[in-house]
Amino acid sequence: DGQAFGPDGALVAVAGATEQIIAYAKDGTKHVIADGFRGNDLVVRHDGHIYVTQPGWNGTDPSQIWHINPEGKKQVVDQGLRFSNGITLSTDQSLLYVADTRSHWVYSYQIQADGSLANKQKYYHLHVPDTADDSGADGLEVDREGRLYVATRMGIQVCDQAGRVNVILP
C-alpha cells in the first residue's frame, strides 16, 4: 500500500498482507520497522517519525492513526475517523493531514515534540458528487506553496491553506 522515502533514503512501505511496515535500503535489503496492524497509507517526517492510517477495513474495527518513532516504538495517536486513508504533512511538517474517505473532510492535527497529535479539527471540506454521500478521498500531497491536493470521486481537489477548495481537476 502506502510508500514514502525516509530521511536516510530507504523506501518505507506498508505490507498489508503481512501486517508490517517495512524499510527497503538502497541496496535492496529490507527490515521490519513495525508489525501487528494492517496499515494503508503512510508518511515519513524528515526526522524519521512515521504516521500510518489503518482504516478499520472490516467496517466494525475502529479507524486508527499510528505513530512509529525513529526507534520503532508504535502507538495509536488517534481514532474515530470513519475511514482514515490518505495522509501527508504540511510543508513545514508541523501539521498532519488525514483524509476521512467516508466523509467530506480532511482533518488536521498539530504534531507534538514526542510525535503525538493534538488539536484535531475538520480542516478541508471536500466537494462530493450529487450521487455520493462521501468524497472517496484517498491520496494526499502538499506542494511547496502549502496547497493540498486530494484525490477524490470528483477528481483532484486543490485546497488552499485556509481550507478552501480552489479548483477541481476532473
Side-chain angles (χ1 to χ4, degrees):
D1 287 318
Q3 301 176 9
F5 287 101
D8 61 354
L11 178 64
V12 180
V14 175
T18 58
E19 297 188 349
Q20 297 174 318
I21 308 302
I22 298 174
Y24 296 90
K26 292 177 183 179
D27 66 5
T29 60
K30 68 178 184 177
H31 76 278
V32 176
I33 297 173
D35 61 7
F37 67 95
R38 184 177 167 212
N40 184 34
D41 286 333
L42 64 76
V43 66
V44 183
R45 280 183 22 158
H46 61 81
D47 57 5
H49 288 262
I50 302 168
Y51 294 90
V52 184
T53 57
Q54 180 183 8
W57 297 101
N58 62 13
T60 58
D61 290 340
S63 180
Q64 299 176 325
I65 301 169
W66 288 82
H67 168 246
I68 305 165
N69 72 14
E71 293 76 40
K73 181 182 176 201
K74 66 180 182 185
Q75 67 178 13
V76 174
V77 289
D78 186 64
Q79 54 187 359
L81 298 183
R82 292 181 187 168
F83 197 88
S84 61
N85 199 341
I87 189 167
T88 196
L89 297 162
S90 62
T91 304
D92 66 3
Q93 300 200 346
S94 66
L95 298 174
L96 182 73
Y97 302 134
V98 179
D100 188 355
T101 295
R102 295 189 178 150
S103 77
H104 298 232
W105 294 101
V106 173
Y107 285 79
S108 72
Y109 304 80
Q110 289 180 337
I111 300 173
Q112 305 302 295
D114 65 355
S116 63
L117 303 177
N119 302 313
K120 174 183 179 178
Q121 68 176 345
K122 293 177 179 177
Y123 192 45
Y124 295 102
H125 183 269
L126 301 171
H127 296 268
V128 299
D130 291 341
T131 57
D133 292 329
D134 60 56
S135 65
D138 192 351
L140 301 181
E141 192 59 64
V142 174
D143 69 15
R144 291 182 185 153
E145 303 300 317
R147 289 179 293 261
L148 178 70
Y149 296 75
V150 185
T152 70
R153 294 184 195 285
M154 294 190 72
I156 305 297
Q157 298 191 38
V158 183
C159 309
D160 62 22
Q161 289 182 330
R164 299 173 299 223
V165 173
N166 292 147
V167 66
I168 301 172
L169 306 170

